[in-house]
Coordinates of all heavy atoms in Angstrom, one line a residue:
M1 N 0.8 -1.2 0.0 CA 0.0 0.0 0.0 C 0.9 1.2 0.0 O 1.9 1.3 0.7 CB -0.9 0.0 1.3 CG -1.7 1.2 1.4 SD -2.8 1.2 2.9 CE -3.6 2.7 2.7
E2 N 0.6 2.2 -0.8 CA 1.2 3.5 -0.8 C 0.6 4.4 0.3 O -0.6 4.4 0.5 CB 1.1 4.2 -2.2 CG 1.8 3.5 -3.3 CD 3.4 3.5 -3.1 OE1 3.9 4.6 -2.7 OE2 4.1 2.6 -3.3
C3 N 1.4 5.2 0.9 CA 0.9 6.2 1.9 C 0.0 7.2 1.2 O 0.3 7.6 0.1 CB 2.1 6.9 2.5 SG 1.7 7.9 3.8
R4 N -1.1 7.6 1.8 CA -2.0 8.6 1.3 C -1.4 9.9 1.6 O -1.3 10.3 2.8 CB -3.4 8.5 2.0 CG -4.3 7.5 1.3 CD -5.7 7.7 1.8 NE -5.9 7.6 3.2 CZ -5.9 6.4 3.9 NH1 -5.9 5.3 3.2 NH2 -6.1 6.4 5.2
L5 N -0.8 10.7 0.6 CA -0.2 11.9 0.9 C -1.1 12.9 1.6 O -2.3 13.0 1.2 CB 0.4 12.5 -0.4 CG 1.5 11.8 -1.1 CD1 1.9 12.4 -2.3 CD2 2.7 11.6 -0.1
G6 N -0.7 13.5 2.6 CA -1.6 14.4 3.3 C -2.4 13.9 4.4 O -3.1 14.6 5.1
C7 N -2.3 12.6 4.6 CA -3.0 11.9 5.7 C -2.4 12.5 7.1 O -3.2 13.1 7.9 CB -2.9 10.5 5.6 SG -3.7 9.5 7.0
G8 N -1.2 12.1 7.4 CA -0.6 12.6 8.6 C -1.0 11.9 9.9 O -0.5 12.2 11.0
A9 N -1.9 10.8 9.8 CA -2.4 10.2 11.0 C -1.2 9.5 11.8 O -1.2 9.6 13.1 CB -3.4 9.1 10.6
C10 N -0.2 9.0 11.1 CA 0.9 8.3 11.8 C 1.8 9.4 12.5 O 2.7 9.0 13.3 CB 1.6 7.4 10.9 SG 2.4 8.2 9.4
C11 N 1.7 10.6 12.1 CA 2.5 11.7 12.7 C 1.7 12.5 13.8 O 2.3 13.4 14.4 CB 2.9 12.7 11.6 SG 3.8 11.9 10.2
I12 N 0.5 12.1 14.1 CA -0.3 12.8 15.1 C -0.8 11.7 16.1 O -0.6 12.0 17.3 CB -1.6 13.4 14.4 CG1 -1.1 14.5 13.4 CG2 -2.4 14.1 15.5 CD1 -2.2 15.0 12.5
A13 N -1.4 10.7 15.7 CA -2.1 9.7 16.6 C -1.2 9.0 17.6 O -1.5 8.9 18.8 CB -3.0 8.7 15.9
P14 N 0.0 8.5 17.2 CA 0.7 7.6 18.1 C 1.7 8.5 19.0 O 2.0 9.6 18.6 CB 1.6 6.7 17.2 CG 1.8 7.5 16.0 CD 0.5 8.3 15.8
S15 N 2.1 7.9 20.1 CA 3.2 8.5 20.8 C 4.5 8.0 20.2 O 4.5 7.0 19.6 CB 3.2 8.0 22.3 OG 3.3 6.6 22.4
I16 N 5.5 8.9 20.2 CA 6.8 8.5 19.7 C 7.8 8.8 20.8 O 8.0 10.0 21.3 CB 7.2 9.3 18.4 CG1 6.1 8.9 17.3 CG2 8.5 9.0 17.9 CD1 6.3 9.7 16.1
S17 N 8.5 7.7 21.3 CA 9.4 7.9 22.5 C 10.8 8.4 22.0 O 11.5 8.9 22.8 CB 9.4 6.7 23.3 OG 9.8 5.6 22.6
S18 N 11.1 8.1 20.8 CA 12.5 8.5 20.4 C 12.5 10.0 20.0 O 11.5 10.6 19.7 CB 12.9 7.7 19.2 OG 12.0 7.8 18.1
P19 N 13.7 10.6 20.1 CA 13.9 12.0 19.9 C 13.5 12.3 18.4 O 13.8 11.5 17.5 CB 15.3 12.3 20.1 CG 15.8 11.2 21.0 CD 15.0 10.0 20.6
I20 N 12.9 13.4 18.2 CA 12.6 14.0 16.9 C 13.3 15.4 16.8 O 13.2 16.1 17.8 CB 11.1 14.1 16.7 CG1 10.4 12.8 16.9 CG2 10.7 14.7 15.3 CD1 8.9 12.9 17.1
P21 N 13.9 15.8 15.7 CA 14.4 17.1 15.6 C 13.3 18.1 16.0 O 12.2 18.1 15.5 CB 14.9 17.3 14.2 CG 15.3 15.8 13.8 CD 14.2 15.0 14.5
G22 N 13.6 18.9 17.0 CA 12.6 19.9 17.5 C 11.8 19.4 18.7 O 11.1 20.2 19.3
M23 N 11.8 18.1 18.9 CA 11.0 17.4 20.0 C 12.0 16.4 20.6 O 11.9 15.1 20.4 CB 9.7 16.7 19.4 CG 8.8 17.7 18.7 SD 7.3 16.9 18.1 CE 6.2 17.2 19.4
P24 N 13.0 16.8 21.4 CA 14.0 16.0 21.9 C 13.5 14.8 22.8 O 14.1 13.8 22.9 CB 15.0 16.9 22.6 CG 14.1 18.1 22.9 CD 13.1 18.2 21.8
N25 N 12.3 15.0 23.3 CA 11.7 13.9 24.2 C 10.7 13.1 23.5 O 9.9 12.5 24.2 CB 11.2 14.5 25.5 CG 12.2 15.3 26.3 OD1 13.3 14.8 26.5 ND2 11.9 16.5 26.8
G26 N 10.7 13.2 22.2 CA 9.6 12.6 21.4 C 8.3 13.3 21.5 O 8.3 14.5 21.8
K27 N 7.2 12.6 21.3 CA 5.9 13.3 21.4 C 4.8 12.4 22.0 O 4.9 11.2 21.7 CB 5.4 13.8 20.0 CG 5.2 12.7 19.0 CD 4.5 13.2 17.8 CE 3.3 12.4 17.3 NZ 2.2 12.2 18.2
P28 N 3.9 12.9 22.7 CA 2.8 12.2 23.2 C 1.7 11.9 22.1 O 1.7 12.6 21.1 CB 2.2 13.1 24.3 CG 2.7 14.4 24.0 CD 3.9 14.4 23.2
A29 N 1.0 10.9 22.4 CA -0.1 10.5 21.5 C -1.1 11.7 21.3 O -1.4 12.4 22.3 CB -0.9 9.3 22.1
G30 N -1.6 11.8 20.1 CA -2.5 12.9 19.8 C -1.9 14.3 19.6 O -2.6 15.3 19.3
T31 N -0.6 14.3 19.7 CA 0.1 15.6 19.5 C 0.7 15.6 18.1 O 1.3 14.6 17.7 CB 1.2 15.8 20.5 OG1 0.7 15.9 21.8 CG2 2.1 17.0 20.3
R32 N 0.5 16.7 17.4 CA 1.0 16.8 16.0 C 2.6 16.9 16.1 O 3.1 17.7 16.8 CB 0.5 18.1 15.4 CG 0.7 18.4 14.0 CD 0.1 19.6 13.6 NE 0.3 19.9 12.1 CZ -0.3 19.3 11.1 NH1 -1.3 18.6 11.4 NH2 0.0 19.5 9.9
C33 N 3.3 16.2 15.3 CA 4.7 16.2 15.2 C 5.1 17.6 14.7 O 4.5 18.1 13.7 CB 5.3 15.1 14.3 SG 7.1 15.2 14.2
I34 N 6.1 18.1 15.3 CA 6.7 19.4 14.8 C 7.2 19.4 13.3 O 7.2 20.4 12.7 CB 7.7 20.0 15.8 CG1 7.9 21.4 15.6 CG2 9.0 19.1 15.7 CD1 8.7 22.1 16.7
Q35 N 7.5 18.2 12.9 CA 8.0 18.0 11.6 C 7.0 17.8 10.5 O 7.3 17.6 9.3 CB 9.1 16.9 11.5 CG 10.3 17.2 12.4 CD 11.1 18.4 11.9 OE1 11.1 18.8 10.8 NE2 11.7 19.0 12.9
L36 N 5.7 17.9 10.8 CA 4.6 17.7 10.0 C 4.2 19.1 9.5 O 3.9 20.0 10.2 CB 3.4 17.0 10.7 CG 2.3 16.5 9.8 CD1 2.8 15.4 8.9 CD2 1.1 16.0 10.7
N37 N 4.3 19.2 8.2 CA 4.1 20.6 7.6 C 2.6 20.8 7.4 O 1.7 20.0 7.8 CB 4.8 20.9 6.3 CG 4.3 20.1 5.1 OD1 3.1 19.6 5.1 ND2 5.1 20.0 4.0
E38 N 2.2 22.0 6.9 CA 0.8 22.4 6.8 C 0.0 21.5 5.9 O -1.2 21.5 5.9 CB 0.6 23.9 6.5 CG 1.3 24.3 5.2 CD 2.8 24.5 5.3 OE1 3.3 24.6 6.4 OE2 3.4 24.7 4.2
D39 N 0.7 20.8 5.0 CA 0.0 19.9 4.1 C 0.0 18.5 4.6 O -0.3 17.5 3.8 CB 0.7 19.9 2.7 CG 0.6 21.2 2.0 OD1 -0.6 21.9 2.1 OD2 1.5 21.8 1.4
N40 N 0.3 18.3 5.9 CA 0.5 17.0 6.5 C 1.5 16.1 5.8 O 1.3 14.9 5.7 CB -0.9 16.3 6.6 CG -1.7 16.8 7.7 OD1 -1.2 17.5 8.6 ND2 -3.0 16.4 7.8
L41 N 2.6 16.7 5.4 CA 3.7 15.9 4.9 C 4.9 16.1 5.8 O 5.1 17.1 6.4 CB 4.1 16.5 3.4 CG 3.0 16.4 2.5 CD1 3.4 17.0 1.2 CD2 2.5 14.9 2.2
C42 N 5.7 15.0 5.9 CA 6.9 15.0 6.8 C 8.0 15.8 6.2 O 8.5 15.6 5.1 CB 7.3 13.6 7.1 SG 8.7 13.5 8.1
K43 N 8.5 16.7 6.9 CA 9.6 17.6 6.5 C 10.9 16.8 6.5 O 11.9 17.2 5.9 CB 9.8 18.8 7.4 CG 8.6 19.8 7.4 CD 8.9 20.9 8.3 CE 7.7 21.4 9.0 NZ 8.0 22.5 10.0
L44 N 11.0 15.7 7.2 CA 12.1 14.8 7.3 C 12.1 13.6 6.4 O 13.1 12.8 6.4 CB 12.3 14.4 8.8 CG 12.5 15.4 9.9 CD1 12.6 14.9 11.2 CD2 13.7 16.3 9.6
F45 N 11.1 13.5 5.7 CA 11.0 12.2 4.8 C 12.2 12.1 4.0 O 12.6 13.0 3.2 CB 9.7 12.3 4.0 CG 9.4 11.0 3.3 CD1 8.7 10.0 4.0 CD2 9.8 10.8 2.0 CE1 8.5 8.7 3.4 CE2 9.5 9.5 1.4 CZ 8.9 8.5 2.1
G46 N 12.8 10.9 4.0 CA 14.0 10.7 3.1 C 15.3 11.2 3.7 O 16.3 11.0 3.1
K47 N 15.2 11.9 4.8 CA 16.5 12.4 5.4 C 17.0 11.6 6.5 O 16.2 10.9 7.2 CB 16.2 13.8 6.0 CG 15.8 14.8 4.9 CD 15.6 16.2 5.5 CE 15.3 17.2 4.3 NZ 15.1 18.5 4.9
P48 N 18.3 11.6 6.8 CA 18.8 10.6 7.8 C 18.4 11.0 9.2 O 18.4 10.1 10.1 CB 20.4 10.8 7.7 CG 20.5 12.0 6.9 CD 19.3 12.3 6.1
E49 N 18.1 12.2 9.5 CA 17.6 12.6 10.9 C 16.2 12.1 11.2 O 15.7 12.3 12.3 CB 17.8 14.1 11.1 CG 17.1 15.0 10.2 CD 17.9 15.4 8.9 OE1 18.8 14.7 8.4 OE2 17.6 16.5 8.4
R50 N 15.5 11.6 10.2 CA 14.1 11.1 10.5 C 14.3 10.0 11.4 O 15.1 9.0 11.3 CB 13.5 10.6 9.2 CG 12.0 10.2 9.3 CD 11.5 9.9 7.9 NE 10.1 9.5 8.0 CZ 9.5 8.6 7.3 NH1 10.2 7.9 6.3 NH2 8.3 8.3 7.4
P51 N 13.5 9.9 12.5 CA 13.6 8.8 13.5 C 13.3 7.5 12.9 O 12.5 7.3 12.0 CB 12.5 9.1 14.5 CG 12.2 10.6 14.4 CD 12.5 10.9 13.0
K52 N 14.1 6.4 13.4 CA 14.0 5.1 12.9 C 12.6 4.5 12.9 O 12.2 3.9 12.0 CB 15.0 4.2 13.7 CG 15.0 2.8 13.2 CD 16.0 1.9 14.0 CE 16.0 0.5 13.5 NZ 16.9 -0.3 14.3
V53 N 11.9 4.8 14.0 CA 10.5 4.3 14.2 C 9.6 4.8 13.0 O 8.7 4.2 12.5 CB 10.0 4.7 15.6 CG1 9.7 6.1 15.8 CG2 8.6 3.9 15.8
C54 N 9.9 6.1 12.6 CA 9.0 6.6 11.5 C 9.4 6.0 10.3 O 8.6 5.7 9.4 CB 9.2 8.2 11.5 SG 8.8 9.1 13.0
H55 N 10.7 5.9 10.0 CA 11.2 5.3 8.8 C 10.6 3.9 8.6 O 10.3 3.4 7.5 CB 12.7 5.2 8.8 CG 13.3 4.6 7.6 ND1 13.3 5.1 6.3 CD2 13.9 3.4 7.5 CE1 13.8 4.3 5.4 NE2 14.2 3.3 6.1
E56 N 10.6 3.1 9.7 CA 10.2 1.7 9.7 C 8.6 1.5 9.6 O 8.2 0.4 9.3 CB 10.8 1.0 10.8 CG 12.3 0.8 10.7 CD 12.9 0.0 11.9 OE1 12.2 -0.3 12.9 OE2 14.1 -0.3 11.7
F57 N 7.9 2.5 9.8 CA 6.4 2.4 9.8 C 6.0 2.3 8.2 O 6.4 3.1 7.5 CB 5.6 3.5 10.4 CG 4.2 3.5 10.2 CD1 3.4 2.7 11.1 CD2 3.5 4.1 9.2 CE1 2.1 2.5 10.9 CE2 2.2 4.0 9.0 CZ 1.4 3.2 9.9
K58 N 5.4 1.2 8.0 CA 4.8 1.0 6.6 C 3.3 1.0 6.5 O 2.7 0.3 7.3 CB 5.4 -0.4 6.0 CG 6.9 -0.5 6.0 CD 7.6 0.6 5.2 CE 9.1 0.5 5.3 NZ 9.9 1.6 5.3
P59 N 2.8 1.8 5.7 CA 1.3 1.8 5.6 C 0.7 0.5 5.2 O 1.4 -0.2 4.4 CB 1.0 2.9 4.6 CG 2.2 3.0 3.8 CD 3.4 2.6 4.7
C60 N -0.4 0.1 5.7 CA -1.1 -1.1 5.4 C -2.6 -0.9 5.5 O -3.0 -0.1 6.3 CB -0.6 -2.3 6.1 SG -1.2 -2.4 7.8
P61 N -3.4 -1.6 4.7 CA -4.9 -1.4 4.7 C -5.4 -1.6 6.1 O -6.4 -0.9 6.5 CB -5.4 -2.4 3.7 CG -4.3 -2.7 2.8 CD -3.0 -2.6 3.6
I62 N -4.9 -2.6 6.9 CA -5.6 -2.9 8.1 C -5.4 -1.7 9.1 O -6.3 -1.3 9.9 CB -4.9 -4.2 8.8 CG1 -5.4 -5.4 8.0 CG2 -5.3 -4.3 10.3 CD1 -4.6 -6.6 8.4
V63 N -4.2 -1.1 9.1 CA -3.9 0.1 10.0 C -4.5 1.4 9.3 O -5.1 2.2 10.0 CB -2.5 0.3 10.3 CG1 -2.1 1.5 11.0 CG2 -1.9 -1.0 11.0
C64 N -4.2 1.6 8.1 CA -4.6 2.9 7.4 C -6.0 3.0 7.0 O -6.5 4.1 6.7 CB -3.6 3.1 6.3 SG -1.9 3.2 6.9
G65 N -6.7 1.9 6.8 CA -8.1 1.9 6.3 C -8.2 2.5 5.0 O -7.2 2.5 4.1
S66 N -9.4 3.1 4.6 CA -9.5 3.7 3.3 C -9.7 5.2 3.3 O -9.8 5.8 2.3 CB -10.8 3.0 2.6 OG -11.9 3.2 3.4
T67 N -9.6 5.7 4.5 CA -9.7 7.2 4.7 C -8.7 7.7 5.7 O -8.2 6.9 6.6 CB -11.1 7.7 5.1 OG1 -11.4 7.3 6.4 CG2 -12.2 7.2 4.2
N68 N -8.4 9.0 5.7 CA -7.5 9.6 6.7 C -8.1 9.4 8.1 O -7.4 9.2 9.0 CB -7.2 11.0 6.3 CG -6.5 11.2 5.0 OD1 -6.1 10.3 4.4 ND2 -6.4 12.5 4.7
Q69 N -9.4 9.6 8.2 CA -10.1 9.5 9.5 C -10.0 8.0 10.0 O -9.7 7.8 11.2 CB -11.5 10.0 9.5 CG -12.1 10.0 10.8 CD -11.5 11.0 11.8 OE1 -11.3 12.1 11.5 NE2 -11.1 10.5 13.0
Q70 N -10.1 7.1 9.1 CA -10.0 5.6 9.6 C -8.6 5.4 10.0 O -8.4 4.7 11.1 CB -10.4 4.7 8.4 CG -11.9 4.6 8.2 CD -12.1 3.5 7.1 OE1 -11.2 3.2 6.3 NE2 -13.4 3.1 6.9
A71 N -7.7 6.0 9.4 CA -6.2 5.7 9.8 C -6.0 6.3 11.2 O -5.4 5.7 12.0 CB -5.3 6.4 8.8
F72 N -6.5 7.6 11.3 CA -6.4 8.2 12.7 C -7.0 7.4 13.8 O -6.4 7.2 14.8 CB -6.9 9.6 12.6 CG -6.7 10.4 13.8 CD1 -5.5 11.0 14.0 CD2 -7.6 10.5 14.9 CE1 -5.2 11.7 15.2 CE2 -7.4 11.2 16.0 CZ -6.2 11.8 16.2
D73 N -8.3 7.0 13.5 CA -9.0 6.2 14.5 C -8.3 4.9 14.8 O -8.2 4.4 16.0 CB -10.4 5.9 14.0 CG -11.3 7.2 14.0 OD1 -10.9 8.2 14.6 OD2 -12.3 7.1 13.3
N74 N -7.9 4.1 13.8 CA -7.1 2.9 14.0 C -5.8 3.0 14.7 O -5.6 2.2 15.7 CB -6.9 2.2 12.6 CG -8.1 1.7 11.9 OD1 -9.2 1.6 12.5 ND2 -8.1 1.5 10.6
I75 N -5.1 4.0 14.4 CA -3.8 4.2 15.1 C -4.0 4.7 16.6 O -3.3 4.2 17.4 CB -2.9 5.2 14.3 CG1 -2.5 4.6 13.0 CG2 -1.6 5.5 15.1 CD1 -1.8 5.5 12.0
T76 N -5.1 5.5 16.8 CA -5.5 5.9 18.1 C -5.8 4.6 18.9 O -5.5 4.5 20.1 CB -6.6 6.9 18.1 OG1 -6.1 8.1 17.4 CG2 -7.0 7.3 19.5
E77 N -6.7 3.8 18.4 CA -7.1 2.6 19.0 C -5.8 1.7 19.3 O -5.8 1.1 20.5 CB -8.1 1.7 18.2 CG -8.6 0.5 19.0 CD -9.6 -0.2 18.2 OE1 -10.1 0.3 17.1 OE2 -10.0 -1.4 18.6
L78 N -4.9 1.5 18.4 CA -3.7 0.7 18.7 C -2.9 1.4 19.8 O -2.3 0.7 20.6 CB -2.9 0.6 17.4 CG -3.5 -0.3 16.3 CD1 -2.7 -0.2 15.0 CD2 -3.5 -1.8 16.8
E79 N -2.8 2.6 19.8 CA -2.1 3.4 20.8 C -2.7 3.1 22.2 O -2.0 2.9 23.2 CB -2.1 4.8 20.5 CG -1.4 5.7 21.6 CD 0.2 5.5 21.6 OE1 0.8 5.2 20.5 OE2 0.7 5.7 22.7
N80 N -4.0 3.2 22.3 CA -4.7 2.9 23.5 C -4.6 1.5 24.0 O -4.6 1.3 25.2 CB -6.2 3.3 23.4 CG -6.5 4.8 23.2 OD1 -5.6 5.6 23.7 ND2 -7.6 5.1 22.6
L81 N -4.4 0.6 23.1 CA -4.2 -0.8 23.5 C -2.8 -1.1 24.0 O -2.6 -2.3 24.6 CB -4.6 -1.8 22.4 CG -6.0 -1.8 21.9 CD1 -6.2 -2.6 20.6 CD2 -7.0 -2.4 23.0
T82 N -1.9 -0.3 23.7 CA -0.4 -0.6 24.1 C 0.0 0.2 25.3 O -0.6 1.2 25.7 CB 0.5 -0.4 23.0 OG1 0.5 1.0 22.5 CG2 0.2 -1.3 21.8

C-alpha cells in the first residue's frame, strides 16, 4: 500500500518515544509532530535525521483503512491498547 499523501495520522495519533528534531523527548499520542508541515507531509521524509521508528512504519490497509479518519481512528485505538 502506498501512503496517502496528506493523511498525517501516523504523525499525530501515536506516541513516539524517540527524539525527533525539535522534539528531543519525542511526542505524546494525539500531539502533532513538529516536523509535519501544513500539508500533512513530513519535513524529514527521506532524510537521515528522520527517527528510525518513523522510517520503519509502513502503511497497510488494516492500519490505514480507506480514509484519513479511519487511519487516525485505527492508530489511536492501537495506541490505547499498548
Side-chain angles (χ1 to χ4, degrees):
M1 173 178 184
E2 292 292 318
C3 187
R4 278 190 303 277
L5 293 179
C7 173
C10 61
C11 303
I12 301 168
S15 61
I16 297 176
S17 58
S18 58
I20 301 165
M23 300 179 101
N25 298 316
K27 65 168 228 56
T31 298
R32 185 179 182 83
C33 178
I34 196 167
Q35 296 299 332
L36 194 62
N37 74 16
E38 59 278 351
D39 295 320
N40 281 349
L41 300 174
C42 178
K43 297 181 217 175
L44 299 178
F45 191 83
K47 295 183 178 180
E49 58 269 26
R50 186 175 182 217
K52 183 178 179 182
V53 67
C54 300
H55 176 73
E56 290 182 351
F57 177 80
K58 303 298 180 219
C60 72
I62 292 172
V63 173
C64 299
S66 58
T67 68
N68 297 354
Q69 187 62 52
Q70 282 181 346
F72 186 84
D73 293 344
N74 290 343
I75 295 171
T76 298
E77 183 176 353
L78 289 170
E79 178 70 29
N80 289 336
L81 292 172
T82 59

